[in-house]
Amino acid sequence: MAKRTKKPSDREFSSALRQIGAKDKVEEAEFERRVVAAFDAAKWKAIRLPDGGRTRPGDLLAIRSDLGQERRYVIDCTREVNPGSVKRAYEDFRYSLETSKRTPDFDEYWLVGPYIIGEPMRKRPNNDRRFRVFDLKHLEALLATPKPKRGAATTRIGKAVRANEKEINLAINGLILQIDAKLEALNGERPNSDDGRARIARETSDFRRMRAALECIREMVAAFKKGKAPEQEVVRATKTFRQGVEEWWTNKSEEIMTSTAKGAVLVSSIGLLALMKADSVAAITAVATVVNGGAVQRVKQIGTAIKRLGKRTFAADNDGAVQ
């Protein structure tokens, strides 16, 4: 005799429905978190929207800047993209437009789900370009930042980095050691006067700024060689360092001329710039002055000339080196 299956009671049936509903909510929350993470990774701003019913559908508002103009996208997250969910979302989208008494505050409406089932309905019903449908894979592909191509370098600095990466890194490391030694010496000084303490503060600031610029060059060189940073980032970092060195010489030439340690830092800095094909007339003149020596008055004259040369050099130089 076949065993009779017990029919679930109303209470058991309701409990099962609640468990299914709770599981669905957990899955929806997890999927929404993944969608937010995709926008965060793409440097978009994603804001959770309050429940506005059919007059204000959608779960998220994604915002990005396009040529200085803000673009806004309503994101409707669904457990599954299928003909029914597309139809429902499009009707909600149209209803919100038709019932709104003002111009919509978003540019497009996106329906996003973990996957898409079937293709019986167009992803852009009525060819409405403001309504789009994605699964998570295609959304992440759309938002992905394209990696810089490792093509041939086009600037003198870029070509030098390609050819001399090891030598450049050795020069940077050696220069950082020189700067660290100078910073340690400054830290050990204990002047009694206010002028002395102010001098130490200024010099410490100068060397720390120079060290930070070198670290930036080192990071950009490594990223550029791996194809993770565009060539112009290396050029920009190198120009920043060169400008700092030239300003340091222009403003502190007398101090540099009378200090062996500072003179050595200047010569090493210009050597690094020469290795990167970013040396300038002003920089070379500064090194020649330090190496050959000269009277203070002569240093002042050269400093004035460097200011003029530096302005012309930066104005004419498009890739970080004198042509």
Side-chain angles (χ1 to χ4, degrees), residues 136-252:
L136 185 59
K137 179 180 178 180
H138 288 94
L139 177 67
E140 290 174 337
L142 176 71
L143 299 176
T145 303
K147 295 182 179 180
K149 296 181 180 179
R150 295 192 62 184
T154 58
T155 64
R156 293 182 64 187
I157 291 176
K159 293 175 182 178
V161 169
R162 290 275 193 222
N164 306 320
E165 181 192 11
K166 291 183 179 179
E167 293 80 358
I168 289 170
N169 281 324
L170 286 173
I172 291 174
N173 293 339
L175 187 49
I176 287 177
L177 287 175
Q178 287 179 267
I179 292 173
D180 286 345
K182 183 59 181 175
L183 286 171
E184 185 177 355
L186 287 170
N187 189 50
E189 293 188 32
R190 295 291 184 270
N192 295 322
S193 66
D194 292 340
D195 290 343
R197 287 190 287 270
R199 175 187 60 80
I200 289 178
R202 287 194 304 271
E203 292 187 12
T204 299
S205 177
D206 289 340
F207 283 114
R208 284 179 176 171
R209 186 163 48 248
M210 188 180 296
R211 193 186 194 285
L214 287 168
E215 291 283 5
C216 182
I217 292 177
R218 181 158 59 184
E219 291 176 8
M220 288 299 102
V221 166
F224 172 57
K225 287 287 288 185
K226 294 178 181 178
K228 295 182 178 180
E231 184 177 358
Q232 287 304 318
E233 291 297 324
V234 182
V235 173
R236 187 178 296 110
T238 307
K239 282 185 175 182
T240 298
F241 176 69
R242 185 182 69 183
Q243 183 177 1
V245 171
E246 292 184 342
E247 289 178 353
W248 182 48
W249 165 253
T250 301
N251 298 327
K252 306 290 177 64

Side-chain angles (χ1 to χ4, degrees), residues 13-29 79:
F13 186 72
S14 298
S15 176
L17 288 178
R18 284 196 297 271
Q19 291 177 6
I20 293 173
K23 182 180 179 182
D24 289 346
K25 288 182 179 179
V26 171
E27 291 178 353
E28 289 173 0
R79 292 179 57 241

